[in-house]
Amino acid sequence: MSGAASFVPTPLMLSDGARARLTALIEEQDNPRLKLRVYVTGGGCSGFQYGFDFAEEIADDDTLVEFGEVALVVDPLSYQYLVGSTVDYEEGLAGARFLVQNPNATTTCGCGASFMV
């Protein structure tokens, strides 16, 4: 008799490119406690905008999503808008940046920095 496999949904995913860049930043700073904070604020072309920051500490009500040696931190307000999203990293003519691929967004601006749900 075979059993059902257990599945724990991940609130956020981290692309290989974002994981590699975050790992490099942690090594450059020589700070293994460094985490990428992802948040949503009001504003931008489409109503909400994504933000990124680096954090060493997390608040009691933050969500910590770990991916081996690297981790994302999300506050409770932002969490609801980011569930199911993938944090990615890209380098191009416009520079280098972290970005969010959000399946919950109904509209996004041209640069991908703001969205509407």
Side-chain angles (χ1 to χ4, degrees), residues 36-93:
L36 182 63
R37 179 174 291 279
V38 184
Y39 59 92
V40 173
T41 60
C45 312
S46 300
F48 295 103
Q49 60 188 3
Y50 303 110
F52 300 93
D53 197 3
F54 292 101
E56 291 181 5
E57 305 296 327
I58 61 171
D60 290 338
D61 58 351
D62 281 341
T63 297
L64 178 67
V65 185
E66 296 179 296
F67 300 91
E69 299 296 317
V70 298
L72 300 176
V73 178
V74 183
D75 65 85
L77 179 62
S78 300
Y79 179 87
Q80 63 187 324
Y81 297 108
L82 294 170
V83 169
S85 296
T86 299
V87 175
D88 197 3
Y89 178 78
E90 70 177 13
E91 293 180 4
L93 294 175

